[in-house]
Each structure stands twice: as structure tokens, then as C-alpha cells.
Amino acid sequence: MSRVVVVGAGPAGLAAAWAAASVGASVLLVDSGVAVGGQYRRQSGLRAARTPVHPLIEWLPETSVWAVESMAGGHRVRLQTGAADSPGRTMSTVDTDALVIATGAYDRVLPFPGWDLPGVYTAGAAQALAKGQGVSVGRRVVVGGTGPFLLPVARSLVEVGAGVAEVLEANGIGGSWGWRRDPLGALGKVGELAGYGVMLARRRVPVRFGAAVVAAHGESRVEAVTVARLDAGWRVVAGSERVVEVDAVCLGFGFTAQLELAVSAGCRIEDGAVVVDPAQRTSVAGVFAAGEVTGIAGAGPAAAEGTVAGYAAAARVGRTVAVPRDAVRTVRAGRRFGRALAAAYPVRSGWRDWVSADTVVCRCEEVRMSDLCAAVAQGALGMRAVKLVSRAGLGLCQGRICGRIVGELTGTPFTQNRPIAVPVRLRDLAAVEDEEEN
Amino acid sequence: MSAIWVEVDGVRVAAMSGQTVAGVLLGLGRTSWRSTRRDGRPRGVFCGIGVCFDCLVLVNGVPDVRACQRRVADGDVVRVQCGAELPGEC
């Protein structure tokens, strides 16, 4: 019980593990990847991420947490270890009274006709494949969405030999990329972004503001897309549509925090993020959160939050700690930055007009917009009813991709309540039960 | 990274250790390797980071393996997944 358990080995989780170990706490660091660094290491191309070589840190790679349960004085964390999705993985449990949740976030994507065709990717997928695998998702690619992450994605694509046809920022230039007022200025990101701008200009890649991909066309894969200008509310400007021939589309409309473990632990969630106090404590005693799960602000603030959370978790298991002031300052600046970022790159409701009746909304269960409308017309009220009647969100991804989309289309908020956080094969689940009976 | 061999839909292909199944398949020019259960529509990588479960594939006879997360091992047998499959079917 006296061991700190850190879930997620991205910038926040790594920093938490190091901080806790540095004051003498014993740490178990769990991550689903084969290397530490999380998505950030891959996305930034930072090859030499620190490996958690510290005598007090035990690092469990290729390990997913599939459940977190409350128990007397702490939490029970259920793990499966082994090659991704292979049967017969090692099942184990660890009990802790200091749990640090640093599970990060994933790309938010909006639906439109044809977004389920092969060749449509999230921006994060294009980045992961380029940086991690040296593979380009296409020869001629459109990058679209909103936010500063689109530019490094375009650069990664160029670096692996893709032709980037255009980059489309759905928000207007005034509201978002007026860099003097932009929150990115506050964190010294303007130079970095200007660098991307120069690179794209040199390659004659047009960056357009107030525009988006609103349809993808093709039989068995993307062959072309419809690009349209958007008004301030993200409705298509009539007559502005044009067809662009591409073989891939990369989309990113900000990020969604990976909240299921925090939800399982009973942590208070507000506006899609875990609520934490200045010591990164959640509303549940013995549970701490750090990084993108507490709000999207990037790797620097995430690592600072991890440091603070690591010290707080170590204090919880009896270590004497003094939290470094610079980490606390960076956390505070990161919070302000995150709020400003969200305000500068909003997702406007006009995207709902891009969706047609036969647009697939839930990719796993192939639920179309017309199915959703029928469910609501039948009187389905609340998340559970919408799910059970339409089947949206009942597939393998457990609503991670469509939850926010369906929530907004039906006016029914979808929570990330997933008591079993990742799929577990039945024989492995059975093995756990056998062991607990013995 | 060292060279290894894997079998993709009956054809022996060279791969590097450390590559994911998706990396190998995309490198071969493939964009889809699964058909959906309801409409039989083609699917490949979408999220690329293990979240969406779109890129499912059969590895060594086991269905529902995320191609973007699974790293290839020497001698792995990879095959397209047709709709919902049980181990050992199709």
C-alpha cells in the first residue's frame, strides 16, 4: 500500500515518478507503450526520452490498467501486461494509497460525410506514423481542424515525403492566429510556430483560415475531399465548396482527456477535465492527477504538474517533501495558458450542419445520423437510453471517438464512465476470477 | 532494429523489429485490412494511438488486435479481419 502507483509514462507521469522517487518513495510506473515518453515523445520526435532508471522506480511497460476500484484506505489497480491485445497476458493487481493518474488525451475529431473512409486519419495518427514508424499516411494530404498542433503535423508529413496540399484552420485568423494576442505568445511558442510557417511557405503549402474539410469522397478509400469556407459559427459559406484531389486527410480539433480511470476512482470532473487543487490532489483522498487529464496545456505544464503530483503522492505515503517553487509557478502559468488556448481555438457548433442523415456517427457500431434522430424521436432520453436504442458508443472504442459527438448532436452529455477501461479477453478475465477464489 | 520476416495475407514480407503491424501494412501500400460487421465497409488506421479500435487485424489466428499498437515479431502471421471473427474462424 505504501508504494506510489503512477499510471501513464508521458511527460506528466514520468515527472511524477521521478519526483516521488527523488524523496525516497517507492514507485510503480505503468504504461501501455513499450517505451516511456507517451504520445509526446513520439509526436515531438524526441528519441532520447529519459528512461525511468532509478532504484526506487519499477517500470511496467506494455501494461494497461483495466480497472480502478476503491477499497479501505486506498485503491486497487487492475493490470494486464503483455503484447498489445494478445491473449494470455499476465493479470495482476496492486493496492495503493497514493495513485497518480496521468493518462493524457487523444485527438478530438468531428464527423462529416465520408470520414469513415480509409485514408481519413486523426492528426495524431499521422504524427505517430511519421515519427514512430517513418511512414507517410499519403502522397497528397490535407491537414484540417483547429489549434496549433496542426502545424507540427504538417511538418512531420513533409519530413516523411508527403505532399501537403493545404492546411485548414477552421477558426479565423483574427480570433486565433493573431499571434500578438495569441496565448501561444505567453509560453514563448510564437518562434516555434513562425518556424513551421516559414517551412510551409517555402514548400508553397497554403495555410487557410476559416476553412475545413466538410466531406470525403471515394469508393474504398479517400480519393478527394470537399473543402469549404466557414462563417464565424463554422457553418459552410454557400458556394465556397471546392473539390481537392488527395489520398489522405488528417484531422484534429483539439483533444479529449482520457478520463475513465479518474471517473472510476470517483474523482470530480468539470468541463471534461479532472478537478485538482494546487497540490494536484483530486476530490478523492489518495488520488492525484497530472497532465492533460486536468486540462490541455502541452508537455511543459504537464511535466510541472507531474512533479507537484509526485511530491504530493510521496507525502501521502509518509515522505517529507518540499515542493519546488518553479514547478508550482509553471503549473499556474500552464493553467492560464490552457484556458487561453481553449478560448482561442474553440469548436463552434456549426459543424453539426456538415453531418448528413446517412453520415456514420459511431464508427464502431456503424450508427448513422438518421439512427440517432430515430432514437431521439422514439423518446430516448439520457445517455443510457440513447446508447441502448441507437447502439452509438456501445462498440469496442467504448464511445471514446463518438461520445462527445453524439452528446452534442443529441443534446445528451456523454460521460466517460467505463468500469472496464480497456477490452479484456474473456479467458484473461476468467483467470483473474479463478485466482481471487483460490 | 533488425530485419525480420512476417507473413501478410499469405505473402512473406520483410519487416523491422520495432515496427507496428500498421507500420508494416501501410509500408506495403495497404490502407485497409478489415471489413465492418454491419455494412462490410473497409477500415484501416484512424486514431493511430490505440484509442479507436478501427485498425483491427488477425495476428497468429487471434482477431481484434489493434494494428497500430501491436509490434511485429519474427514469423508473425497477419491476415485481414472479415467482420466479427472468432479465433480460428474464416
Side-chain angles (χ1 to χ4, degrees):
Chain A
M1 286 294 281
S2 66
R3 191 152 61 148
V4 172
V5 174
V6 179
V7 183
L14 272 181
W18 275 93
S22 73
V23 289
S26 160
V27 178
L28 179 68
L29 174 63
V30 178
D31 189 81
S32 60
V34 294
V36 293
Q39 298 309 328
Y40 176 73
R41 180 192 65 92
R42 198 153 56 191
Q43 291 178 348
S44 67
L46 195 67
R47 298 280 163 201
R50 288 196 295 188
T51 45
V53 183
H54 187 292
L56 287 174
I57 301 178
E58 183 191 349
W59 168 42
L60 266 183
E62 291 196 299
T63 301
S64 354
V65 175
W66 59 271
V68 168
E69 294 158 8
S70 300
M71 55 181 291
H75 290 84
R76 173 160 290 176
V77 181
R78 296 188 176 275
L79 311 167
Q80 53 181 354
T81 302
D85 301 328
S86 62
R89 276 178 285 180
T90 306
M91 309 299 278
S92 58
T93 60
V94 56
D95 296 339
T96 179
D97 45 20
L99 172 65
V100 180
I101 297 175
T103 43
Y106 55 90
D107 294 85
R108 178 181 185 186
V109 178
L110 303 174
F112 51 72
W115 76 306
D116 52 327
L117 279 171
V120 179
Y121 301 91
T122 70
Q127 188 79 326
L129 287 162
K131 293 289 188 192
Q133 299 287 304
V135 174
S136 171
V137 293
R139 291 197 182 85
R140 193 173 146 76
V141 187
V142 167
V143 178
T146 189
F149 181 54
L150 299 178
L151 292 182
V153 169
R155 185 180 72 171
S156 301
L157 283 165
V158 168
E159 281 172 354
V160 287
V164 177
E166 26 193 304
V167 176
L168 307 170
E169 163 60 52
N171 282 301
I173 193 164
S176 60
W177 291 16
W179 282 347
R180 202 172 295 164
R181 280 186 292 134
D182 197 280
L184 297 161
L187 235 66
K189 295 269 185 188
V190 170
E192 184 187 330
L193 280 190
Y196 296 134
V198 167
M199 184 278 300
L200 293 175
R202 233 180 246 149
R203 308 262 175 174
R204 298 180 190 281
V205 175
V207 179
R208 301 186 205 285
F209 297 87
V213 171
V214 295
H217 316 284
E219 256 317 298
S220 58
R221 58 161 303 157
V222 171
E223 291 159 19
V225 292
T226 297
V227 171
R229 284 214 319 276
L230 304 178
D231 67 17
W234 289 24
R235 281 190 187 79
V236 171
V237 173
S240 71
E241 300 94 336
R242 59 197 167 82
V243 173
V244 182
E245 278 184 31
V246 294
D247 59 358
V249 188
C250 303
L251 305 166
F253 290 88
F255 298 90
T256 298
Q258 188 97 40
L259 292 177
E260 43 278 321
L261 299 183
V263 170
S264 288
C267 303
R268 205 167 116 221
I269 312 285
E270 262 172 31
D271 298 329
V274 183
V275 177
V276 288
D277 72 4
Q280 302 300 128
R281 285 184 291 236
T282 69
S283 62
V284 176
V287 182
F288 307 81
E292 310 286 49
V293 283
T294 72
I296 308 300
E305 286 195 3
T307 298
V308 174
Y311 283 121
R316 172 95 187 161
V317 296
R319 310 308 303 181
T320 308
V321 304
V323 180
R325 283 216 185 112
D326 58 337
V328 175
R329 266 197 300 274
T330 308
V331 168
R332 240 184 269 138
R335 294 257 155 79
R336 283 196 299 275
F337 173 66
R339 280 194 298 272
L341 197 66
Y345 300 94
V347 170
R348 302 284 184 194
S349 61
W351 67 264
R352 296 177 210 172
D353 289 358
W354 312 346
V355 179
S356 65
D358 64 351
T359 301
V360 167
V361 173
C362 165
R363 303 168 64 95
C364 297
E365 293 297 299
E366 297 171 85
V367 179
R368 292 167 194 274
M369 183 63 193
S370 54
D371 302 321
L372 265 193
C373 294
V376 172
Q378 280 175 47
L381 285 176
M383 180 180 78
R384 182 176 289 266
V386 169
K387 281 168 106 169
L388 292 176
V389 176
S390 73
R391 293 203 55 78
L394 291 181
L396 265 178
C397 96
Q398 300 175 278
R400 284 180 177 82
I401 301 297
C402 76
R404 280 179 95 168
I405 293 166
V406 174
E408 287 180 37
L409 289 172
T410 61
T412 301
F414 268 45
T415 63
Q416 296 193 25
N417 186 4
R418 301 178 186 116
I420 293 183
V422 290
V424 181
R425 290 190 187 270
L426 281 174
R427 67 178 261 194
D428 296 335
L429 198 58
V432 173
E433 298 223 316
D434 288 349
E435 203 174 277
E436 286 187 2
E437 275 163 24
N438 291 340
Chain B
M1 299 245 278
S2 56
I4 56 174
W5 290 94
V6 298
E7 191 185 306
V8 176
D9 288 332
V11 179
R12 212 166 96 99
V13 301
M16 302 294 283
S17 67
Q19 268 190 301
T20 60
V21 173
V24 171
L25 291 168
L26 286 164
L28 293 170
R30 301 272 297 265
T31 53
S32 62
W33 44 83
R34 174 171 85 93
S35 59
T36 59
R37 281 176 298 155
R38 198 180 97 169
D39 297 335
R41 299 291 298 158
R43 293 283 175 86
V45 168
F46 179 60
C47 81
I49 58 170
V51 170
C52 78
F53 290 78
D54 247 356
C55 65
L56 302 178
V57 70
L58 263 98
V59 178
N60 303 327
V62 177
D64 301 331
V65 175
R66 287 167 295 172
C68 73
Q69 294 298 293
R70 183 61 164 270
R71 307 226 159 218
V72 288
D74 195 32
D76 270 352
V77 178
V78 176
R79 180 170 72 61
V80 294
Q81 181 163 338
C82 323
E85 290 197 38
L86 292 172
E89 260 189 13
C90 209

